[in-house]
Amino acid sequence: MHDGQAAGEFVFFDFEPDHGDIAAEVLAGLSSQPKRISPKYFYDARGSALFEQITELDEYYPTRTEMALFDAHLGEIAERVGDHVCLIEYGSGSSKKIRKVLQSITPLAYVPIDISLEHLRANAWALHQDFPHVNVYPVCADITQSFELPDATADLTRVGFFPGSSIGNFEPTEAQRFLHTVHQTLGSGASLIIGVDRKKPVEILERAYNDADGVTAEFNLNLLRHLNERLGADFQVEQFSHDARYNETLGCVQMFLKSEQRQQVNIAGQSVSFAAGEELHTENSYKYHPHEFKALAKAAGFSVDLEWTDERDYFSLYLLTAD
């Protein structure tokens, strides 16, 4: 604890977000053409650990590039947002980035928001132990929906935090809708720190999602293991293979699992057929030129206050202001 600073409080808020009917959602995706499964099913415990490995791969530039931008510019952001800050993190993921931000901005309150209750509670408590002077108010909620922030943060300057180019996992219309919801939650005059992956040569993008060690392939295939455990499905994981390629028209890297043979999969009491070579779509990761992202942010009610990129123009870090 910092000398002279009182211990902060830890209060957990569970808004009991609706997880929906998971089996019905998965079966609807598997009955569509092309077949698809939401990327949110990547993140069981093993999937989260595999993603941490991905962030350290030589081919996967986004995490280390964004971390370097944090190192270079968080001081400037801290000066701009000032004191009496409430830091609101959308999606409580890896703690490496938020630790950097907490050290630089030193907020009075920190509000991590995530739909996974136990994951959120564990992460938030660990951070509270290491930053005991900060009031920590974890909120279990769906980040894509509107909700009220804890009353204790009402008089603080609100600063949102959405790193890792997670905005790229939304379809562009959904990304705009999400940013609009963030604007409503944070309120006019609030700030948003957001990382955005940029468009760049195809070979660099595709290499980042097809690493030589096969970690990304294992991460993608683990989605099937997760569904086997969660829904009692019987995917034969070894009969699927990973593929990721850049879609120039859409401006995104798309990930797929390809069925290596004709097969049937039983899931939640129903049978799903796969043709040999048929693809199951698992993720889109959109990339944005700066002018494209600025237009998206503007449409959602944000203006760009500050922006930075690395020397190769691979990744952008923005400080937005809610108009």
Side-chain angles (χ1 to χ4, degrees), residues 11-12 44 59 71 103 133 147 185 190 213 235 245 275 321:
V11 183
F12 196 94
D44 62 352
E59 298 95 331
D71 287 338
Q103 288 164 354
H133 56 286
F147 51 84
T185 302
D213 293 337
F235 283 101
R245 54 188 184 268
T321 299

Side-chain angles (χ1 to χ4, degrees), residues 43 48-49 51-53 55-56 63 66-67 70 89-102 110 112 114 119 123 127 161 163-164 166:
Y43 298 101
S48 296
F51 185 73
E52 284 302 303
Q53 290 182 43
T55 65
E56 297 172 3
T63 301
E66 185 178 39
M67 293 286 269
F70 285 156
E89 183 180 17
Y90 284 85
S92 177
S94 167
S95 66
K96 293 178 186 175
K97 294 171 185 174
I98 194 61
R99 286 175 184 275
K100 282 186 180 289
V101 178
L102 289 170
Y110 166 56
D114 201 274
H119 168 80
N123 275 13
L127 286 164
F161 182 55
S166 297

Side-chain angles (χ1 to χ4, degrees), residues 44-247:
D44 62 352
R46 186 167 185 268
S48 296
L50 284 166
F51 185 73
E52 284 302 303
Q53 290 182 43
I54 288 171
T55 65
E56 297 172 3
L57 294 169
D58 289 343
E59 298 95 331
Y60 194 78
Y61 61 85
T63 301
R64 63 176 171 271
T65 307
E66 185 178 39
M67 293 286 269
L69 289 171
F70 285 156
D71 287 338
H73 303 294
L74 275 177
E76 191 176 346
I77 291 175
E79 286 182 17
R80 182 61 64 99
V81 300
D83 300 323
H84 302 290
V85 165
C86 172
L87 184 66
I88 299 148
E89 183 180 17
Y90 284 85
S92 177
S94 167
S95 66
K96 293 178 186 175
K97 294 171 185 174
I98 194 61
R99 286 175 184 275
K100 282 186 180 289
V101 178
L102 289 170
Q103 288 164 354
S104 299
I105 292 181
T106 57
L108 295 179
Y110 166 56
V111 181
I113 305 160
D114 201 274
I115 199 168
S116 176
L117 189 144
E118 294 307 323
H119 168 80
L120 172 65
R121 193 190 300 275
N123 275 13
W125 181 249
L127 286 164
H128 183 55
Q129 297 298 101
D130 292 339
F131 297 89
H133 56 286
V134 178
N135 295 306
V136 178
Y137 304 114
V139 173
C140 186
D142 182 343
I143 65 170
T144 66
Q145 304 298 317
S146 295
F147 51 84
E148 294 294 322
L149 292 171
D151 290 343
T153 69
D155 296 329
L156 302 178
T157 301
R158 291 173 174 177
V159 179
F161 182 55
F162 195 49
S165 200
S166 297
I167 194 69
N169 293 134
F170 292 98
E171 296 297 311
T173 53
E174 293 173 351
Q176 181 182 323
R177 193 178 305 121
F178 168 72
L179 288 174
H180 179 70
T181 301
V182 170
H183 186 295
Q184 289 180 311
T185 302
L186 297 180
S188 296
S191 300
L192 176 63
I193 304 165
I194 185 167
V196 181
D197 200 8
R198 295 172 60 144
K199 289 179 177 173
K200 56 186 68 66
V202 172
E203 60 272 15
I204 296 168
L205 287 167
E206 292 191 342
R207 192 160 59 239
Y209 292 80
N210 294 283
D211 61 279
D213 293 337
V215 182
T216 310
E218 190 59 29
F219 172 72
N220 199 9
L221 287 162
N222 185 67
L223 178 147
L224 302 182
R225 293 190 181 91
H226 182 199
L227 293 180
N228 282 351
E229 293 173 5
R230 192 159 183 178
L231 296 176
D234 61 357
F235 283 101
Q236 301 300 306
V237 178
E238 68 280 0
Q239 293 176 9
F240 289 84
S241 61
H242 162 78
D243 185 39
R245 54 188 184 268
Y246 185 65
N247 185 317

